[in-house]
């Protein structure tokens, strides 16, 4: 409710500020012989920005300092002898009870008199402080509005000021994405370093046994954390997925871009791309109840022992999931090849298949290879399908008909349940995440290198 009131106040102030600046600019433009530097919408935006900044600053300051001020107020309402008799846990519990009483939700058990008094006082305090913040923000916004409006003259470079603010906002958005990535990498590296203080890196990267010992079952032993069984399972499923996705996706792209009627293409391409929007948990369920039993029955019919949950099941379904990714990217790349190349091949007497094989695919090959490598990165990081369909068997084996485990599945297993985040049983998830990050990063960098190195420039 408080958030809605603040949002409503901001919208009203912004609307008034924009309209005021716009009207002031229009009044200047209608004067005789006056040439205004910026258009009215820039003056409106200029006043709105001036109005928004102090209002937002006050709201942010209260959001930053408000919890501490409220905490101190609650503590001041508790009798001193009671505060001195409580430890930190008991004090936090008492503060939580007072907050619950102030919110009106009530608490379990008997309510002590000082708790009820403090709850009533807190309710009044929150109401008054909220009014003070709202009024202060509104007054600051109106003052900024009047000041900015008074600065509007015919020579004011409002357009330049507004564009500078927009550039700063865009830079801030870019910085958020970059800093988030840096923060994730720093978190992975720091936690992985803690893991390697328990387990030697050689034992992790070259170990062939994955058998983590949890504190509840291992009697204090760390267990074995060999990466190779998980890496082998990940690569095996990724290879099977690409064997399914690459030929089907590429052939679909060639058909849509070269053979299909434009009416059919307008319908078929969106339908294929809808496949990419299906949640991966649905693909995992599809693999578990349909594809896995089907492959098991087919294997039994031809004399092969194929498990219902195996690397083959997970790989096939993951390949189906990636098909629209490959086909859509490849289709866009094929359509970017200049038509003059195809017309030249036809003019020399080449058939359509010869033109595709000898002209179109070589010209689009760098982009197609880049699309394949991006699809590999997508397959390596997939989680839900392998959780449900791969069987979760961390054994180093080369048989795709048997259950396997992947890096992503092991990360899920290590971070779910009642885990000790200070021990290697949980910290290994960060080492696995860092390994997965390095693999996908290398694939993406290699894909970008291929695209840029062999990209053809057409006029």
């Amino acid at each position: 409710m408080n958030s809605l009131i603040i949002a409503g106040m901001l919208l009203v102030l912004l609307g008034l500020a924009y309209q005021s600046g716009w009207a002031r600019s229009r009044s200047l433009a209608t004067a005789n012989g006056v040439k205004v530097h910026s258009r009215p919408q820039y003056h409106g935006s200029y006043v709105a920005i001036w109005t928004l900044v102090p209002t937002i600053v006050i709201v942010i300051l209260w959001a930053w300092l408000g919890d501490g001020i409220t905490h101190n107020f609650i503590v001041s309402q508790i009798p001193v002898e009671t505060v001195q008799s409580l430890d930190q846990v008991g004090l936090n519990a008492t503060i939580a009870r007072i907050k619950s009483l102030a919110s009106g939700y009530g608490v379990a058990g008997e309510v002590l008199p000082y708790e009820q008094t403090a709850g009533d006082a807190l309710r009044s305090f929150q109401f008054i402080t909220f009014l003070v913040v709202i009024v202060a923000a509104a007054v600051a916004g109106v003052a900024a509005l009047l000041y900015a409006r008074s600065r509007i003259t015919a020579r004011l470079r409002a357009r330049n000021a507004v564009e500078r603010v927009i550039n700063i906002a865009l830079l801030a958005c870019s910085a958020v994405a970059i800093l988030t990535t840096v923060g994730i990498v720093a978190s992975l590296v720091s936690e992985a370093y803690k893991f390697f203080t328990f387990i030697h890196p050689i034992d992790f990267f070259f170990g062939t046994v994955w058998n983590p010992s949890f504190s509840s079952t291992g009697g204090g032993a760390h267990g074995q954390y060999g990466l190779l069984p998980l890496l082998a399972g990940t690569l095996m499923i990724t290879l099977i997925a690409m064997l399914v996705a690459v030929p089907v996706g590429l052939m679909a792209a060639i058909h849509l871009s070269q053979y299909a009627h434009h009416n059919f293409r307008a319908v078929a391409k969106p339908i294929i791309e809808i496949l990419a929007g299906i949640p991966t948990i649905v693909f995992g369920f599809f693999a578990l109840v349909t594809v896995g039993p089907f492959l098991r029955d087919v294997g039994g019919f031809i004399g092969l022992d194929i498990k219902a949950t195996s690397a083959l099941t997970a790989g096939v379904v993951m390949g189906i999931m990636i098909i629209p990714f490959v086909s859509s990217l490849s289709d866009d790349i094929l359509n970017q090849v200049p038509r003059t190349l195809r017309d030249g091949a036809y003019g020399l007497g080449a058939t359509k298949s010869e033109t595709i094989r000898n002209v179109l695919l070589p010209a689009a090959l760098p982009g197609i290879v880049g699309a394949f490598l991006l699809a590999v990165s997508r397959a390596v990081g997939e989680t839900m399908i392998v959780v449900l369909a791969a069987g979760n068997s961390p054994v180093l084996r080369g048989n795709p008909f048997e259950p396997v485990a992947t890096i992503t599945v092991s990360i899920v297993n290590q971070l779910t349940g009642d885990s000790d985040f200070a021990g290697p049983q949980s910290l290994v998830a960060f080492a696995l995440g860092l390994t997965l990050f390095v693999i996908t990063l290398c694939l993406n960098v290699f894909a970008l290198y291929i695209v840029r190195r062999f990209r053809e420039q057409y006029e």
Side-chain angles (χ1 to χ4, degrees), residues 49-406:
I49 292 171
W50 267 94
T51 305
L52 180 65
V53 171
T55 309
I56 288 293
V57 167
I58 290 177
V59 173
I60 291 176
L61 281 177
W62 176 247
W64 183 29
L65 303 175
D67 288 341
I69 296 174
T70 303
H71 180 274
N72 292 334
F73 176 81
I74 296 174
V75 173
S76 68
Q77 299 299 312
I78 303 175
V80 177
E81 59 275 12
T82 303
V83 175
Q84 294 175 347
S85 65
L86 295 173
D87 57 7
Q88 189 61 45
V89 175
L91 181 60
N92 292 337
T94 302
I95 292 174
R97 288 174 61 85
I98 293 173
K99 287 183 176 179
S100 297
L101 290 172
S103 64
Y105 290 116
V107 296
E110 182 182 359
V111 179
L112 299 177
Y114 78 86
E115 291 179 337
Q116 186 62 54
T117 304
D120 296 337
L122 177 61
R123 189 181 304 113
S124 301
F125 174 78
Q126 289 174 333
F127 179 73
I128 293 172
T129 53
F130 177 70
L131 285 182
V132 170
V133 171
I134 287 292
V135 171
V139 169
V142 171
L145 186 155
L146 297 175
Y147 173 74
R149 190 177 186 279
S150 66
R151 287 174 53 88
I152 296 179
T153 60
R155 299 175 62 84
L156 177 66
R157 298 177 179 271
R159 183 187 62 199
N160 299 358
V162 170
E163 289 181 349
R164 278 198 298 273
V165 172
I166 292 174
N167 286 335
I168 292 173
L170 295 176
L171 179 62
C173 293
S174 303
V176 167
I178 295 172
L179 293 177
T180 301
T181 303
V182 172
I184 291 173
V185 173
S187 172
L188 288 175
V189 171
S190 63
E191 298 299 324
Y193 175 77
K194 294 178 184 177
F195 168 73
F196 288 126
T197 60
F198 293 98
I199 305 297
H200 196 278
I202 293 180
D203 296 333
F204 174 70
F205 288 109
F206 299 100
T208 58
V209 178
W210 176 265
N211 184 24
S213 177
F214 288 90
S215 57
S216 60
T217 59
H222 295 325
Q224 294 174 285
Y225 296 89
L227 174 66
L228 291 182
L230 310 181
L231 187 61
T234 301
L235 296 179
M236 186 187 300
I237 292 176
T238 301
L239 177 62
I240 296 172
M242 297 312 296
L243 290 176
V244 173
V246 168
V248 176
L250 182 59
M251 293 303 110
I254 292 175
H255 176 75
L256 289 176
S257 64
Q258 302 301 317
Y259 291 97
H261 191 271
H262 66 275
N263 290 333
F264 176 77
R265 171 186 166 83
V267 175
K269 187 174 182 182
I271 292 177
I272 293 175
E273 291 176 346
I274 286 175
L275 197 62
I278 298 176
T280 55
I281 185 65
V282 177
F283 279 106
F285 186 72
F286 173 66
L288 187 64
V289 302
T290 304
V291 178
F294 173 75
L295 293 176
R296 180 195 58 199
D297 296 340
V298 171
F301 182 75
I302 61 177
L304 294 176
D305 183 18
I306 301 177
K307 305 297 183 185
T309 55
S310 63
L312 181 64
T313 303
V316 168
V317 176
M318 190 185 297
I320 295 173
M321 182 194 71
I322 296 175
I323 285 175
F325 192 81
V326 175
S327 67
S328 181
L329 287 176
S330 300
D331 178 58
D332 293 339
I333 293 166
L334 289 173
N335 284 324
Q336 290 178 2
V337 177
R339 187 169 184 81
T340 54
L341 293 179
R342 282 171 282 180
D343 293 341
Y346 294 145
L348 293 174
T351 63
K352 178 169 282 190
S353 61
E354 290 173 339
T355 302
I356 293 172
R357 188 172 61 253
N358 298 322
V359 176
L360 197 62
L361 289 180
L365 188 60
I368 293 175
V369 172
F372 292 167
L373 292 176
L374 291 175
V376 172
S377 300
R378 178 74 176 81
V380 168
E382 173 53 36
T383 302
M384 290 311 302
I385 292 176
V386 291
V387 165
L388 295 176
N392 191 20
S393 177
V395 179
L396 184 60
R397 55 166 63 106
N399 186 357
F401 303 149
E402 295 287 338
V404 297
T406 66

